Each structure stands twice: as C-alpha cells, then as structure tokens.
Amino acid sequence: MLVTGPNGVGKTNLLEALHVGAQGFSPRTRAEPRLVSFGEEAARVQLVGTESTTPFTTQVDIAPGAPKEIRLNGATLARGEELRLRLSALAFTPERLAVVKGGPLVRRAYLDRMLGRIFPSRAELPSTYARAIAQRNAALRRVRAGQSSADAVEPWTLQAATLGTELDAGRSELATLLAPGFADAAAGLGLLDTAFSYEGPGLTVEELEARLDKDLERAITGAGPHLRDAAITAGGRDLRSFGSQGEQRVAVLALVLAEAEVLTERRGDPPLLLLDDVFSELDTERRGALLGRLPLGGQTVITATHRPGAAEPDLVVEVMPGEARVAA
C-alpha cells in the first residue's frame, strides 16, 4: 500500500498508529503522552486484520497519567510483549537512524528487541540480566559503604556471569542471522561491502572476580554485555563515525529488510512493514531493488509525497488534512 500526500498532513502519523496497534508502542518516541492529540484526554488505536488466515483485533488505549491498556481479541494483555510475540511489525522512520548514528546503548537495545522477536524464549533475557547487574551493583555499594562483606557480591557475580554469557551468545547468533541479508539488501541499494557484527565473548566469574577491586571502587560492574557494541560498517568504515547521512539511511533500511527476511523464515509469516519516505533518496533502479526485496505474501505500507516511478502498488491512500481516502 502506498500512502501519498504533501508534507505535514499526517502520513507518518498513520504509520505510527499502525505500529502502535500492532506492537503496543510508538517507533518514534517512548514519551507516550505525546501520542495524544492536543486538547484530547486520551488516544486509541484499533486494528482489524488477519495473521496467516486467523482474524485478529487489537486495541491500544493511552491516557496521560494512566497505565497503557492493550487488548488482543478483546482480552487485556498484562504486558506489551504478549502482543509482540503474536504479531510482528517493523518500521523505518527517520528516528531509526539512531541505530547507526547513536551510541552503543541504542544498538544494544536494538539487538535486544530483535532477540525477543526472533527467539521468543529469550525475550526476557536482557531484562533478567539487567536486574542481575543492578543487584550486583547494589551489593558493591553496600560493601563499599561498609554495610556488608564482599561475600554479598558473590551470588550476583555468578548470576551476572551466567546470564551475561547467555545474552552474548543470543546477540551473536542474532547478528550472524542478520548479516547476510543486511549485506545483500545494502548492496542492492547501492551501499557495498557492508557488515553487521557483534562480538560477544561471554562473561566469566573469573573475569568479574579479577576486577572486583575496581568494581568496588566505582560501585558498578565494569565488564559484560551491558557495555558492548555492535559494528555496522561499509568498506571497513564505521558508518557511525565515517558514513554520510545517505549511507546511514541505506544501512538502517537494509537492516529492516534483513529483519523482515529473518522473521519470515523463523515465524513462517512476513511482518507488517512500515516504511516512511524511503523513496526520496533512491533513484529508479534502487527503488526497484527495494521493492524486489519486500517479503512475498506480506503487507507493506510506504509513504511518499507522490507516486514514484516504480511498481504500481495494490492500493493507494491519499492523505489530506483531517482525511484519508482510497485513490481512484
């Protein structure tokens, strides 16, 4: 589906609403009160669709100062993760450039979100590891303050090492799955010799014990996957530091296409793809390459200010201020 209209009329808002309805959160902001229109008390997104051949309905209600409510087929979900384990959707928006342009924290968060999508049984692993590190750091602070002995750190050292090794292994496996599709998609979009990698050597008790004095001095755990980074390169160049805006944009789009490919293989059904203004910096040949990599049998929504010179979409929706209509 192609969504067209002048700048500023709400095309991106439409994509955002689709993502909220399918995943329970915005791809553009974590400040959810901002999703509520000025002058309104609350926002609601409702989706009706099919997953494979199974109909579904979702409803997401957001009100400032109140817990977010997510419903799937009328049943209230305790956590948004339950919705994401059932439905898959991927978005390309300008904000996603932070995956390349941002710091290591952004790339770690990106890997951990994908980890839950690709390996549902590991969805809780990043948060479980983070809690173990938080507990170890709290124990370090107590020891440094003279409130307990160093023995209090030992149980959390073991947990951090065990969970850290599992998290490193999961991230490494995920990066290995994404890397071939990322390189192929990037090449088709004109960015050659790209690589996506994550070096996760694991975390051992011996490593943590060897640096215990340093950790006590700073009262934080100074080793582990909570400090690692993923590498996104082209021709051996780190695209964060040495990539142009256009190269960074292509790299993020290639990652989204690689994610879609892996999700389709792993889950059996292609995800909903939401691509915001992806044609603006691509020539006709590369627009065709992009369309050729879209998952077969899936649904893709692309926004543009006008109809591009590429394959004719199945449906065109024209967006004007306060109105969206199917084009003739």
Side-chain angles (χ1 to χ4, degrees):
M1 181 171 79
L2 179 66
V3 178
T4 66
N7 290 327
V9 296
K11 300 186 300 298
T12 301
N13 288 348
L14 176 59
L15 257 65
E16 183 176 30
L18 289 170
H19 194 277
V20 169
Q23 300 292 279
F25 70 96
S26 168
R28 302 172 67 195
T29 179
R30 293 298 181 264
E32 292 187 331
R34 295 178 59 185
L35 303 181
V36 180
S37 296
F38 290 115
E40 301 295 334
E41 295 183 355
R44 170 175 290 177
V45 175
Q46 292 178 310
L47 293 187
V48 177
T50 57
E51 180 199 20
S52 296
T53 58
T54 305
F56 71 84
T57 61
T58 73
Q59 179 175 307
V60 180
D61 290 297
I62 298 170
K68 179 171 57 182
E69 294 185 5
I70 302 176
R71 293 180 176 86
L72 175 62
N73 298 328
T76 300
L77 304 182
R79 300 174 302 124
E81 188 64 34
E82 296 178 48
L83 180 63
R84 295 188 284 278
L85 290 175
R86 171 68 186 274
L87 305 176
S88 58
L90 299 171
F92 173 87
T93 66
E95 289 76 12
R96 286 209 69 182
L97 288 179
V99 173
V100 175
K101 296 175 65 174
L105 175 62
V106 181
R107 283 178 288 283
R108 290 195 298 268
Y110 161 75
L111 281 171
D112 291 344
R113 283 194 301 271
M114 277 301 297
L115 192 65
R117 290 190 178 113
I118 303 299
F119 308 110
S121 63
R122 302 181 189 177
E124 297 299 320
L125 181 55
S127 58
T128 304
Y129 169 74
R131 286 194 295 270
I133 290 297
Q135 292 286 359
R136 187 174 190 270
N137 291 345
L140 290 168
R141 289 193 295 271
R142 289 194 296 273
V143 173
R144 189 176 68 171
Q147 297 172 351
S148 64
S149 68
D151 293 342
V153 179
E154 186 175 342
W156 300 113
T157 294
L158 178 59
Q159 274 210 35
T162 300
L163 294 168
T165 297
E166 292 178 17
L167 182 54
D168 263 349
R171 288 176 179 173
S172 296
E173 185 176 353
L174 175 60
T176 299
L177 286 174
L178 290 172
F182 170 66
D184 287 346
L189 297 173
L191 185 59
L192 303 178
D193 193 21
T194 56
F196 178 75
S197 61
Y198 174 85
E199 297 296 332
L203 185 62
T204 66
V205 170
E206 291 75 18
E207 181 181 2
L208 289 173
E209 287 181 341
R211 59 170 300 115
L212 181 58
D213 289 342
K214 293 181 181 178
D215 287 354
L216 283 170
E217 181 180 344
R218 301 176 61 198
I220 58 172
T221 301
H226 60 292
L227 300 172
R228 304 206 203 289
D229 197 0
I232 303 175
T233 62
R237 294 177 291 121
D238 176 11
L239 288 178
R240 179 193 181 194
S241 302
F242 303 104
S244 68
Q245 177 88 359
E247 288 175 325
Q248 293 169 344
R249 183 180 171 88
V250 166
V252 174
L253 181 55
L255 267 180
V256 172
L257 295 173
E259 293 170 44
E261 184 178 288
V262 173
L263 276 171
T264 303
E265 292 173 355
R266 288 274 165 165
R267 300 178 67 155
D269 293 302
L272 171 64
L273 276 186
L274 306 168
L275 308 179
D276 189 25
D277 193 29
V278 290
F279 291 142
S280 62
E281 296 184 23
L282 299 177
D283 57 28
T284 301
E285 180 181 351
R286 288 166 184 169
R287 289 174 184 173
L290 167 61
L291 294 174
R293 293 197 67 90
L294 299 181
L296 295 176
Q299 186 171 15
T300 300
V301 182
I302 300 176
T303 68
T305 54
H306 58 278
R307 296 193 188 192
E312 189 64 23
D314 294 329
L315 180 68
V316 178
V317 174
E318 295 177 343
V319 178
M320 301 300 290
E323 180 185 6
R325 63 189 178 203
V326 176

Short mmCIF file of all heavy atoms in Angstrom, two decimals, residues 9-50:
data_model
loop_
_atom_site.label_atom_id
_atom_site.label_comp_id
_atom_site.label_asym_id
_atom_site.label_seq_id
_atom_site.Cartn_x
_atom_site.Cartn_y
_atom_site.Cartn_z
N VAL A 9 0.86 16.42 6.49
CA VAL A 9 -0.58 16.14 6.56
C VAL A 9 -0.91 14.91 7.42
O VAL A 9 -2.07 14.62 7.65
CB VAL A 9 -1.19 15.97 5.15
CG1 VAL A 9 -1.08 17.26 4.37
CG2 VAL A 9 -0.53 14.81 4.41
N GLY A 10 0.13 14.16 7.87
CA GLY A 10 -0.15 13.04 8.77
C GLY A 10 0.20 11.67 8.24
O GLY A 10 -0.23 10.66 8.82
N LYS A 11 0.98 11.58 7.16
CA LYS A 11 1.34 10.27 6.62
C LYS A 11 2.12 9.46 7.65
O LYS A 11 1.85 8.28 7.88
CB LYS A 11 2.17 10.41 5.34
CG LYS A 11 1.46 11.16 4.21
CD LYS A 11 2.27 11.14 2.94
CE LYS A 11 3.64 11.77 3.05
NZ LYS A 11 3.57 13.22 3.40
N THR A 12 3.12 10.10 8.27
CA THR A 12 3.93 9.41 9.27
C THR A 12 3.09 9.06 10.50
O THR A 12 3.29 8.01 11.11
CB THR A 12 5.13 10.27 9.67
OG1 THR A 12 5.92 10.55 8.51
CG2 THR A 12 6.01 9.55 10.68
N ASN A 13 2.14 9.91 10.85
CA ASN A 13 1.26 9.60 11.97
C ASN A 13 0.45 8.34 11.71
O ASN A 13 0.18 7.55 12.63
CB ASN A 13 0.30 10.77 12.24
CG ASN A 13 1.01 11.97 12.85
OD1 ASN A 13 2.15 11.87 13.28
ND2 ASN A 13 0.34 13.11 12.87
N LEU A 14 0.04 8.15 10.46
CA LEU A 14 -0.70 6.94 10.11
C LEU A 14 0.17 5.70 10.31
O LEU A 14 -0.27 4.70 10.89
CB LEU A 14 -1.18 7.03 8.66
CG LEU A 14 -1.90 5.79 8.10
CD1 LEU A 14 -3.13 5.44 8.93
CD2 LEU A 14 -2.29 6.01 6.63
N LEU A 15 1.42 5.76 9.84
CA LEU A 15 2.33 4.63 10.05
C LEU A 15 2.55 4.39 11.53
O LEU A 15 2.59 3.24 11.99
CB LEU A 15 3.67 4.90 9.35
CG LEU A 15 3.91 4.16 8.04
CD1 LEU A 15 2.91 4.63 6.99
CD2 LEU A 15 5.34 4.39 7.54
N GLU A 16 2.72 5.47 12.28
CA GLU A 16 2.93 5.35 13.72
C GLU A 16 1.75 4.66 14.39
O GLU A 16 1.92 3.79 15.25
CB GLU A 16 3.17 6.73 14.32
CG GLU A 16 3.49 6.72 15.80
CD GLU A 16 3.80 8.10 16.33
OE1 GLU A 16 3.26 9.09 15.78
OE2 GLU A 16 4.59 8.21 17.28
N ALA A 17 0.54 5.04 13.98
CA ALA A 17 -0.65 4.42 14.57
C ALA A 17 -0.72 2.93 14.26
O ALA A 17 -1.08 2.11 15.12
CB ALA A 17 -1.91 5.12 14.05
N LEU A 18 -0.35 2.55 13.04
CA LEU A 18 -0.33 1.13 12.69
C LEU A 18 0.66 0.36 13.56
O LEU A 18 0.38 -0.75 14.01
CB LEU A 18 0.03 0.96 11.21
CG LEU A 18 -1.03 1.40 10.20
CD1 LEU A 18 -0.46 1.41 8.78
CD2 LEU A 18 -2.25 0.48 10.27
N HIS A 19 1.82 0.96 13.82
CA HIS A 19 2.82 0.30 14.65
C HIS A 19 2.34 0.19 16.10
O HIS A 19 2.51 -0.85 16.74
CB HIS A 19 4.14 1.08 14.60
CG HIS A 19 5.31 0.32 15.14
ND1 HIS A 19 5.61 0.28 16.49
CD2 HIS A 19 6.27 -0.43 14.52
CE1 HIS A 19 6.69 -0.44 16.68
NE2 HIS A 19 7.12 -0.89 15.50
N VAL A 20 1.72 1.25 16.60
CA VAL A 20 1.19 1.20 17.97
C VAL A 20 0.15 0.09 18.08
O VAL A 20 0.13 -0.69 19.04
CB VAL A 20 0.58 2.57 18.36
CG1 VAL A 20 -0.20 2.45 19.67
CG2 VAL A 20 1.67 3.61 18.50
N GLY A 21 -0.74 -0.01 17.09
CA GLY A 21 -1.76 -1.04 17.14
C GLY A 21 -1.23 -2.45 17.02
O GLY A 21 -1.81 -3.39 17.58
N ALA A 22 -0.12 -2.62 16.30
CA ALA A 22 0.43 -3.97 16.08
C ALA A 22 1.46 -4.36 17.12
O ALA A 22 1.66 -5.56 17.39
CB ALA A 22 1.05 -4.05 14.69
N GLN A 23 2.15 -3.36 17.73
CA GLN A 23 3.24 -3.67 18.65
C GLN A 23 3.04 -3.09 20.05
O GLN A 23 3.77 -3.44 20.97
CB GLN A 23 4.56 -3.15 18.09
CG GLN A 23 4.95 -3.74 16.75
CD GLN A 23 5.29 -5.21 16.83
OE1 GLN A 23 6.38 -5.59 17.21
NE2 GLN A 23 4.33 -6.08 16.50
N GLY A 24 2.11 -2.17 20.19
CA GLY A 24 1.82 -1.62 21.51
C GLY A 24 2.68 -0.43 21.90
O GLY A 24 2.54 0.08 23.00
N PHE A 25 3.56 0.03 21.01
CA PHE A 25 4.40 1.18 21.32
C PHE A 25 4.73 1.93 20.03
O PHE A 25 4.63 1.38 18.93
CB PHE A 25 5.68 0.78 22.04
CG PHE A 25 6.68 0.03 21.19
CD1 PHE A 25 7.73 0.69 20.56
CD2 PHE A 25 6.57 -1.34 21.01
CE1 PHE A 25 8.64 0.02 19.77
CE2 PHE A 25 7.49 -2.03 20.22
CZ PHE A 25 8.52 -1.35 19.61
N SER A 26 5.13 3.18 20.18
CA SER A 26 5.49 4.00 19.03
C SER A 26 6.92 3.73 18.60
O SER A 26 7.81 3.58 19.44
CB SER A 26 5.34 5.49 19.39
OG SER A 26 5.95 6.30 18.39
N PRO A 27 7.19 3.71 17.28
CA PRO A 27 8.58 3.58 16.81
C PRO A 27 9.33 4.91 16.85
O PRO A 27 10.52 4.95 16.57
CB PRO A 27 8.40 3.10 15.36
CG PRO A 27 7.13 3.75 14.93
CD PRO A 27 6.24 3.77 16.14
N ARG A 28 8.63 5.99 17.22
CA ARG A 28 9.23 7.32 17.14
C ARG A 28 9.56 7.92 18.50
O ARG A 28 10.45 8.76 18.62
CB ARG A 28 8.30 8.26 16.39
CG ARG A 28 7.96 7.79 14.99
CD ARG A 28 6.87 8.66 14.36
NE ARG A 28 7.34 10.00 14.11
CZ ARG A 28 6.53 11.02 13.86
NH1 ARG A 28 5.22 10.84 13.85
NH2 ARG A 28 7.03 12.21 13.62
N THR A 29 8.81 7.54 19.54
CA THR A 29 9.03 8.15 20.86
C THR A 29 8.61 7.17 21.94
O THR A 29 7.71 6.36 21.75
CB THR A 29 8.22 9.45 21.00
OG1 THR A 29 8.44 9.99 22.30
CG2 THR A 29 6.73 9.21 20.81
N ARG A 30 9.30 7.26 23.09
CA ARG A 30 8.90 6.48 24.26
C ARG A 30 8.09 7.35 25.22
O ARG A 30 7.60 6.88 26.23
CB ARG A 30 10.13 5.91 24.98
CG ARG A 30 10.87 4.87 24.15
CD ARG A 30 10.00 3.66 23.87
NE ARG A 30 10.71 2.66 23.10
CZ ARG A 30 10.63 2.56 21.77
NH1 ARG A 30 9.88 3.40 21.09
NH2 ARG A 30 11.31 1.62 21.13
N ALA A 31 7.96 8.65 24.91
CA ALA A 31 7.15 9.55 25.72
C ALA A 31 5.70 9.43 25.24
O ALA A 31 5.22 10.22 24.42
CB ALA A 31 7.65 10.98 25.59
N GLU A 32 5.00 8.43 25.73
CA GLU A 32 3.70 8.08 25.17
C GLU A 32 2.63 9.16 25.32
O GLU A 32 1.74 9.24 24.46
CB GLU A 32 3.23 6.75 25.76
CG GLU A 32 4.11 5.61 25.29
CD GLU A 32 3.63 4.25 25.70
OE1 GLU A 32 2.98 4.15 26.75
OE2 GLU A 32 3.91 3.29 24.95
N PRO A 33 2.66 10.03 26.35
CA PRO A 33 1.67 11.11 26.37
C PRO A 33 1.71 11.99 25.12
O PRO A 33 0.72 12.63 24.78
CB PRO A 33 2.06 11.90 27.63
CG PRO A 33 2.66 10.87 28.54
CD PRO A 33 3.42 9.96 27.61
N ARG A 34 2.84 12.01 24.43
CA ARG A 34 2.95 12.81 23.20
C ARG A 34 2.11 12.24 22.07
O ARG A 34 1.88 12.90 21.06
CB ARG A 34 4.41 12.91 22.76
CG ARG A 34 5.30 13.65 23.73
CD ARG A 34 6.74 13.67 23.26
NE ARG A 34 6.90 14.28 21.95
CZ ARG A 34 8.03 14.33 21.29
NH1 ARG A 34 9.13 13.80 21.83
NH2 ARG A 34 8.11 14.89 20.10
N LEU A 35 1.64 11.00 22.21
CA LEU A 35 0.80 10.39 21.18
C LEU A 35 -0.64 10.90 21.24
O LEU A 35 -1.41 10.67 20.31
CB LEU A 35 0.81 8.86 21.33
CG LEU A 35 2.18 8.19 21.26
CD1 LEU A 35 2.03 6.68 21.40
CD2 LEU A 35 2.89 8.53 19.95
N VAL A 36 -1.00 11.55 22.33
CA VAL A 36 -2.36 12.07 22.49
C VAL A 36 -2.42 13.45 21.84
O VAL A 36 -1.58 14.32 22.10
CB VAL A 36 -2.73 12.15 23.98
CG1 VAL A 36 -4.14 12.70 24.14
CG2 VAL A 36 -2.62 10.77 24.63
N SER A 37 -3.43 13.67 21.00
CA SER A 37 -3.56 14.94 20.30
C SER A 37 -3.79 16.08 21.29
O SER A 37 -4.38 15.89 22.36
CB SER A 37 -4.75 14.89 19.33
OG SER A 37 -4.52 13.93 18.32
N PHE A 38 -3.31 17.26 20.92
CA PHE A 38 -3.52 18.44 21.76
C PHE A 38 -5.02 18.65 21.98
O PHE A 38 -5.83 18.57 21.04
CB PHE A 38 -2.92 19.68 21.10
CG PHE A 38 -1.42 19.69 21.09
CD1 PHE A 38 -0.72 19.63 19.89
CD2 PHE A 38 -0.70 19.74 22.28
CE1 PHE A 38 0.66 19.64 19.87
CE2 PHE A 38 0.69 19.76 22.27
CZ PHE A 38 1.37 19.70 21.07
N GLY A 39 -5.38 18.89 23.22
CA GLY A 39 -6.77 19.14 23.55
C GLY A 39 -7.58 17.90 23.83
O GLY A 39 -8.75 18.00 24.23
N GLU A 40 -6.99 16.71 23.63
CA GLU A 40 -7.70 15.45 23.89
C GLU A 40 -7.19 14.83 25.19
O GLU A 40 -6.06 15.07 25.61
CB GLU A 40 -7.49 14.47 22.74
CG GLU A 40 -7.98 14.97 21.39
CD GLU A 40 -9.48 15.16 21.34
OE1 GLU A 40 -10.19 14.49 22.12
OE2 GLU A 40 -9.94 15.99 20.54
N GLU A 41 -8.04 14.03 25.82
CA GLU A 41 -7.70 13.40 27.09
C GLU A 41 -7.02 12.04 26.91
O GLU A 41 -6.34 11.57 27.82
CB GLU A 41 -8.95 13.24 27.96
CG GLU A 41 -9.57 14.56 28.39
CD GLU A 41 -10.75 14.37 29.30
OE1 GLU A 41 -11.15 13.19 29.52
OE2 GLU A 41 -11.28 15.37 29.81
N ALA A 42 -7.23 11.41 25.76
CA ALA A 42 -6.69 10.07 25.56
C ALA A 42 -6.58 9.80 24.06
O ALA A 42 -7.11 10.54 23.23
CB ALA A 42 -7.57 9.02 26.23
N ALA A 43 -5.86 8.73 23.73
CA ALA A 43 -5.73 8.26 22.34
C ALA A 43 -6.07 6.79 22.29
O ALA A 43 -5.79 6.03 23.24
CB ALA A 43 -4.31 8.50 21.82
N ARG A 44 -6.66 6.37 21.19
CA ARG A 44 -6.98 4.95 21.00
C ARG A 44 -6.64 4.55 19.57
O ARG A 44 -6.95 5.27 18.62
CB ARG A 44 -8.46 4.68 21.27
CG ARG A 44 -8.94 3.28 20.87
CD ARG A 44 -10.37 3.03 21.27
NE ARG A 44 -10.48 2.93 22.73
CZ ARG A 44 -11.64 2.78 23.37
NH1 ARG A 44 -12.77 2.76 22.69
NH2 ARG A 44 -11.66 2.68 24.68
N VAL A 45 -6.00 3.40 19.44
CA VAL A 45 -5.72 2.81 18.14
C VAL A 45 -6.39 1.44 18.10
O VAL A 45 -6.21 0.63 19.02
CB VAL A 45 -4.21 2.65 17.88
CG1 VAL A 45 -3.97 1.93 16.57
CG2 VAL A 45 -3.52 4.01 17.87
N GLN A 46 -7.16 1.18 17.05
CA GLN A 46 -7.78 -0.12 16.86
C GLN A 46 -7.38 -0.66 15.49
O GLN A 46 -7.43 0.06 14.50
CB GLN A 46 -9.31 -0.02 16.94
CG GLN A 46 -9.84 0.31 18.33
CD GLN A 46 -11.35 0.45 18.35
OE1 GLN A 46 -11.92 1.18 17.53
NE2 GLN A 46 -12.00 -0.24 19.27
N LEU A 47 -6.96 -1.92 15.46
CA LEU A 47 -6.62 -2.58 14.20
C LEU A 47 -7.47 -3.82 14.03
O LEU A 47 -7.77 -4.53 15.00
CB LEU A 47 -5.15 -3.01 14.18
CG LEU A 47 -4.06 -1.94 14.17
CD1 LEU A 47 -2.70 -2.61 13.99
CD2 LEU A 47 -4.29 -0.92 13.08
N VAL A 48 -7.84 -4.09 12.79
CA VAL A 48 -8.54 -5.32 12.43
C VAL A 48 -7.75 -5.93 11.28
O VAL A 48 -7.45 -5.24 10.29
CB VAL A 48 -9.99 -5.05 12.00
CG1 VAL A 48 -10.65 -6.35 11.57
CG2 VAL A 48 -10.78 -4.40 13.13
N GLY A 49 -7.38 -7.20 11.39
CA GLY A 49 -6.60 -7.82 10.34
C GLY A 49 -6.60 -9.32 10.45
O GLY A 49 -7.40 -9.91 11.19
N THR A 50 -5.72 -9.94 9.69
CA THR A 50 -5.55 -11.39 9.76
C THR A 50 -4.06 -11.71 9.88
O THR A 50 -3.23 -11.05 9.27
CB THR A 50 -6.10 -12.10 8.51
OG1 THR A 50 -5.45 -11.58 7.34
CG2 THR A 50 -7.60 -11.91 8.39
#
